[in-house]
Amino acid sequence: MPTNWLNTSSSPFLLTGFPGLEKAHHLISLPMLVTYISILLGNGTLLFLIKDDHNLHEPMYYFLCMLAATDLGVTLTTMPTVLGVLWFNHREIGHGACFSQAYFIHTLSIVESGVLLAMAYDRFIAIRNPLRYTTILTDTRVIQIGIGVLTRAGLSIMPIIIRLHWFPYCRSHVLSHAFCLHQDVIKLACADITFNRLYPVVVVFAMGLLDFLTICFSYILILKTVMGIASTDERAKALNTCVSHICCILVFYVTVVGLTFIHRFGKHVPHVVHITMSYIYFLFPPFMNPVIYSIKTKQIQSGLLRLFSLPCSRT
């Protein structure tokens, strides 16, 4: 038996596209490619715009940069293997590469939740204590928050990913997605995986749920403050600064709830639906976030107009 473990453990994992739709992989890859390119262009443009436009050098937009960078990270982490499977049927992935991909995917998901929380804190300070906004959220403080969000996510995911290297894999090496997820890999392990099953649940409740509840509480306080503003115009202006962030929160957490609901209660749902929900979870928020901020934030709109009118003004 140990010999078998050694032999099978050294075999690469096999990624899976859309089971039963292999002949349509090339067709399916077209909307996927368009979505990936849109995500790269949208979030890349936001990063360039905020870096280039001094009018956007404010804490709110620094946090938006963190969100855009996180979305780019998720996209660049999943895109190579997804397109490799759909275009070339390249399914094999080594253990090291698979575990690294899983680490970055799960870490960046927690980072996104943390950045949304940081953005809620930014709106809370801006509306509840506007006179001290720039003295509280200094550049140094923003950097510290960013490092804290990244460190929290990176360290919280590390224990379960490290343990993946220790497990023997003696079952089928076929994964259920075109990218590596921790919950997929541990199903293939021939070892006691109790810790790897329970720890992620604790992390989700301790971080994801706590982040969401803290965001909700901050917006209750923000709403209370806004309702106390006498001027209707000022009240609308204050609320309008939060609309983009609220939309991004809804996009992120609705997809999280949808994915969780399908996995928990959709045992009789076709497997392709589970896979499709996973793609929606990883692609929809990165696609929508730049769209939301471009439509709902006047400063971003003005910056984009200045950015794209530069070539015209030079000619």
Side-chain angles (χ1 to χ4, degrees), residues 6-26:
L6 288 173
N7 289 338
T8 56
S9 289
S10 62
S11 304
F13 293 118
L14 294 177
L15 302 169
T16 302
F18 291 83
L21 298 173
E22 286 82 3
K23 292 183 179 179
H25 273 183
H26 285 89

Side-chain angles (χ1 to χ4, degrees), residues 28-41 83 287:
I28 295 170
S29 71
L30 294 177
M32 298 284 284
L33 180 62
V34 170
T35 305
Y36 276 128
I37 291 173
S38 300
I39 291 170
L40 296 175
L41 289 176
L83 294 182
F287 176 80

Side-chain angles (χ1 to χ4, degrees), residues 252-281:
F252 179 73
Y253 283 105
V254 166
T255 54
V256 168
V257 171
L259 183 63
T260 303
F261 184 83
I262 285 291
H263 279 307
R264 293 293 179 189
F265 306 107
K267 293 181 180 179
H268 301 294
V269 173
H271 184 57
V272 70
V273 176
H274 289 256
I275 294 174
T276 303
M277 277 302 301
S278 296
Y279 283 114
I280 290 173
Y281 170 73

Side-chain angles (χ1 to χ4, degrees):
M1 188 67 170
T3 307
N4 277 344
W5 281 7
L6 288 173
N7 289 338
T8 56
S9 289
S10 62
S11 304
F13 293 118
L14 294 177
L15 302 169
T16 302
F18 291 83
L21 298 173
E22 286 82 3
K23 292 183 179 179
H25 273 183
H26 285 89
L27 191 61
I28 295 170
S29 71
L30 294 177
M32 298 284 284
L33 180 62
V34 170
T35 305
Y36 276 128
I37 291 173
S38 300
I39 291 170
L40 296 175
L41 289 176
N43 289 284
T45 301
L46 271 184
L47 287 172
F48 177 79
L49 178 63
I50 295 170
K51 175 183 176 295
D52 190 63
D53 193 336
H54 291 283
N55 295 321
L56 301 178
H57 289 185
E58 297 177 8
M60 173 182 173
Y61 300 107
Y62 293 150
F63 288 125
L64 180 55
C65 269
M66 294 180 196
L67 187 65
T70 303
D71 288 339
L72 280 177
V74 172
T75 302
L76 292 173
T77 301
T78 60
M79 183 173 65
T81 54
V82 171
L83 294 182
V85 170
L86 295 180
W87 283 351
F88 310 112
N89 197 33
H90 182 71
R91 298 179 60 195
E92 290 191 358
I93 184 169
H95 288 200
C98 183
F99 301 155
S100 297
Q101 187 183 47
Y103 175 75
F104 284 112
I105 287 174
H106 294 297
T107 296
L108 290 169
S109 294
I110 295 178
V111 168
E112 181 129 3
S113 177
V115 171
L116 290 172
L117 175 61
M119 294 171 84
Y121 175 67
D122 168 78
R123 292 300 84 208
F124 174 79
I125 298 297
I127 292 175
R128 294 273 292 188
N129 206 344
L131 297 178
R132 295 189 58 208
Y133 177 69
T134 54
T135 57
I136 294 174
L137 282 175
T138 60
D139 289 353
T140 302
R141 180 66 58 83
V142 171
I143 292 171
Q144 288 172 344
I145 291 172
I147 292 173
V149 167
L150 188 60
T151 303
R152 180 190 75 155
L155 293 180
S156 66
I157 292 299
M158 198 171 289
I160 55 173
I161 299 300
I162 289 175
R163 286 175 60 86
L164 293 180
H165 291 271
W166 302 344
F167 293 148
Y169 298 95
C170 56
R171 297 190 177 96
S172 166
H173 278 51
V174 179
L175 299 171
S176 59
H177 296 81
F179 42 80
C180 292
L181 297 174
H182 167 263
Q183 59 266 34
D184 273 356
V185 175
I186 60 170
K187 291 177 183 177
L188 309 181
C190 297
D192 182 4
I193 58 172
T194 304
F195 176 82
N196 280 61
R197 284 191 179 279
L198 296 180
Y199 182 83
V201 177
V202 175
V203 170
V204 167
F205 275 95
M207 294 186 185
L209 185 60
L210 187 61
D211 286 353
F212 178 71
L213 292 176
T214 306
I215 289 170
C216 290
F217 181 67
S218 69
Y219 269 102
I220 291 171
L221 296 178
I222 287 171
L223 191 61
K224 183 180 176 182
T225 302
V226 171
M227 290 299 103
I229 299 174
S231 169
T232 306
D233 291 340
E234 289 297 319
R235 195 184 304 162
K237 185 179 178 182
L239 283 174
N240 193 52
T241 63
C242 302
V243 171
S244 299
H245 180 236
I246 292 171
C247 290
C248 289
I249 291 168
L250 290 174
V251 166
F252 179 73
Y253 283 105
V254 166
T255 54
V256 168
V257 171
L259 183 63
T260 303
F261 184 83
I262 285 291
H263 279 307
R264 293 293 179 189
F265 306 107
K267 293 181 180 179
H268 301 294
V269 173
H271 184 57
V272 70
V273 176
H274 289 256
I275 294 174
T276 303
M277 277 302 301
S278 296
Y279 283 114
I280 290 173
Y281 170 73
F282 286 114
L283 294 177
F284 191 60
F287 176 80
M288 287 303 299
N289 288 342
V291 173
I292 290 168
Y293 271 90
S294 299
I295 292 173
K296 291 292 183 181
T297 309
K298 289 183 179 179
Q299 292 87 342
I300 296 291
Q301 290 177 2
S302 302
L304 288 171
L305 288 173
R306 284 193 295 271
L307 179 65
F308 291 109
S309 65
L310 278 177
C312 296
S313 62
R314 288 173 182 170
T315 55

